[in-house]
Each structure stands twice: as structure tokens, then as C-alpha cells.
Amino acid sequence: MISEIVLHNIHTGAEEVIHRADAHIEAPNWSPCGSFLVVNSGGHIYRIDLSAPQTLVLIDTGPITHCNNDHGISPDGATLMISDSPGRGTSIIYQLPIGGGAPQQVTPLAPSYWHGWSPDGKRIAYTARRDGVFHICTSELDGTDEVILTDGPGHRDGPDYTADGNWIWFNSDHHGKGADLWRMRPDGRDLQQMSDDDRVNWFPHPSPDGTCVLYLAYPNGTTGHPADLPVALRLMDPDGENIRTIAKFNGGQGSINVPCWHPKGGRFAYARYPSE
């Protein structure tokens, strides 16, 4: 599979392919310092320095070698959260220094997939199957004080905090349709549906400057969040209005699973998979 890591400017629409490889590369995070990206490929985590973007630099994760595409960097840039899946339904969240080192287990229960970091750096948000249902959860950085924020049947995924910490956005099909976008307060109150159209909408990421929300739109009827489909990236205003498509490409799973904005907003990184 060909993978391309792309930087997109939402103001001009300009795109730059900074890395292209005959390998499956997923889920770019943009570092808080703005100088590098973190991606995963083949169960490992890599750094892409924007000064030399065609080189993947391995981040040492010790014995954790089945990393999936749910990883991210702390607001202070010092810590990396990763999710390791040696088998289906086994994902556990770990943390380690951003430069690599011995991972420390965070979540005691599987499956747990990291997705967001609170702006003050004190809690993480993740999707986890608890009692047979995928819910949105938060916990302390060491995995203590796990709080299940959602209830009832359905599949919920992709939680990400707004920059002011007032909301957690996520996608869910608990209303009996294909996945739509939702937001709630960090304690689970004030649940609001933010999309309602004929697309299957996943992985909302509020911009750091608070001006918009980026998300992935699958074709109508898509089940789950598969890879290798014709998909679109869309923006909406924070109130759910003014939805516009900004890119169409072959992708899906792995394209924007995790926070991918430049720290100042205005640009983001994503992965696409040309059908060559």
C-alpha cells in the first residue's frame, strides 16, 4: 500500500505531500512545538521531522511492538500516549517519554484506545469496551479514576477535547443511524448532536484556535470505520453550522484517527492511500 502524509492549509486549500512510502503509515499527530509529526506503521511509532520529512525516525517503545493508530502527545510535549493491540480486542494504553523509553501501563482493562488529552494535561479521553459496549471514558494519567461518560447501547469513538476544555467531541451511532458527531461536557452532561446528514461521520477534531471542527466523512451506508474507501474531510463551525468539504481522497481508517492540528490551528496533517 502506498501512503502519503499530507499537510493541508485550511485558509488557502493548499496541500503538501511531505512523506510518501510503499508502506502503511497512519494517524499523524502534530507536535506542540510544531517541528515534527508522530505516526505509526507496522506496530511501531515513528517521528517525522519536518526539516527532513522523508525519513521515519523510530521512537523506542521497548517491548510494546503492536502499536495501533491511537496515539498522541501531551500538551507540554513531554509525554506520548500509545495504544498497543497484540490481538483483536486487546488494546491497552501506555505512556512513555516523547523521545522513547520504558512504557508504563495506563488502563488496566482492555480494549482501551487513546484519543484525547485534556488541555490542562491532567486527564485523557479514550474509547473503551466496558460491559460489552463501546463507551467514551476519561481517567487520570495513571489510569485511576476511570469515568464512563456515556450510557446505553451503540458504538462511540474518537473523543477529543476543545482547546478551552469545555467540551468533548466524539462520534456515535447510539441513535440508531450511521455514526454522527456529538459533543458533551467533560463530565458527560449536556449531550448534543452536531451532525445529521446522509454521510457516516467519524473522528471530530476541534481546532486549537477554536474556529472549526475537522472530521472524516464516509459514504452513506458505511459500517464501522474501514480503510481504503473514497472519503472526504470536512470542516464545520463549533456550533455545527457551515459544513464544507475541503478534501476528497482514498482513505478512512488511519487518516485522522487522532488529533492532527498544527498547534496554532490553520493547518493539519492527514494520511491518504492512493489507489496505485
Side-chain angles (χ1 to χ4, degrees):
M1 172 180 281
I2 300 295
S3 299
E4 293 180 342
I5 303 300
V6 184
L7 306 185
H8 183 104
N9 186 313
I10 67 169
H11 301 301
T12 66
E15 293 196 331
E16 178 185 5
V17 177
I18 63 163
H19 187 94
R20 194 174 195 272
D22 188 6
H24 191 50
I25 303 172
E26 299 181 297
N29 308 122
W30 209 318
S31 64
C33 67
S35 67
F36 67 92
L37 307 177
V38 168
V39 298
N40 66 282
S41 181
H44 297 283
I45 303 293
Y46 296 90
R47 170 177 172 144
I48 298 178
D49 290 300
L50 296 182
S51 60
Q54 197 50 40
T55 300
L56 292 181
V57 180
L58 180 68
I59 296 176
D60 178 19
T61 58
I64 304 304
T65 58
H66 298 88
C67 298
N68 58 45
N69 50 36
D70 297 324
H71 46 73
I73 308 169
S74 61
D76 65 5
T79 304
L80 180 65
M81 288 283 178
I82 60 176
S83 305
D84 182 72
S85 297
R88 184 174 177 83
T90 61
S91 182
I92 290 288
I93 300 172
Y94 296 82
Q95 63 173 308
L96 66 152
I98 187 64
Q104 297 178 338
Q105 185 170 338
V106 175
T107 51
L109 300 177
S112 303
Y113 303 88
W114 183 91
H115 277 279
W117 213 304
S118 65
D120 62 8
K122 295 181 178 180
R123 294 186 71 84
I124 57 170
Y126 49 98
T127 186
R129 191 174 66 226
R130 301 292 185 259
D131 297 323
V133 178
F134 276 95
H135 288 293
I136 304 301
C137 303
T138 66
S139 77
E140 299 288 332
L141 302 187
D142 62 0
T144 59
D145 188 32
E146 179 175 272
V147 179
I148 300 174
L149 298 177
T150 52
D151 56 28
H155 183 104
R156 301 157 187 88
D157 213 327
D160 195 3
Y161 286 87
T162 55
D164 58 13
N166 288 335
W167 297 97
I168 294 176
W169 283 67
F170 64 101
N171 58 269
S172 176
D173 61 7
H174 72 270
H175 57 331
K177 297 173 51 182
D180 273 310
L181 306 185
W182 305 74
R183 68 178 183 179
M184 62 185 168
R185 300 296 182 180
D187 62 2
R189 294 181 300 109
D190 200 11
L191 179 66
Q192 300 178 9
Q193 184 174 352
M194 304 305 294
S195 72
D196 185 12
D197 55 34
D198 63 353
R199 303 301 293 266
V200 177
N201 300 313
W202 281 74
F203 302 132
H205 299 301
S207 63
D209 58 10
T211 61
C212 58
V213 177
L214 171 71
Y215 67 97
L216 182 71
Y218 279 101
N220 185 24
T222 303
T223 300
H225 53 106
D228 202 27
L229 284 180
V231 295
L233 291 177
R234 289 182 166 182
L235 294 176
M236 65 166 56
D237 290 351
D239 60 2
E241 300 297 322
N242 190 27
I243 295 174
R244 59 269 194 202
T245 297
I246 59 171
K248 294 181 178 180
F249 58 97
N250 195 68
Q253 169 77 295
S255 291
I256 61 163
N257 290 57
V258 286
C260 54
W261 284 98
H262 183 277
K264 293 183 179 180
R267 292 187 293 160
F268 64 86
Y270 73 96
R272 67 187 182 195
Y273 310 106
S275 54
E276 298 181 2

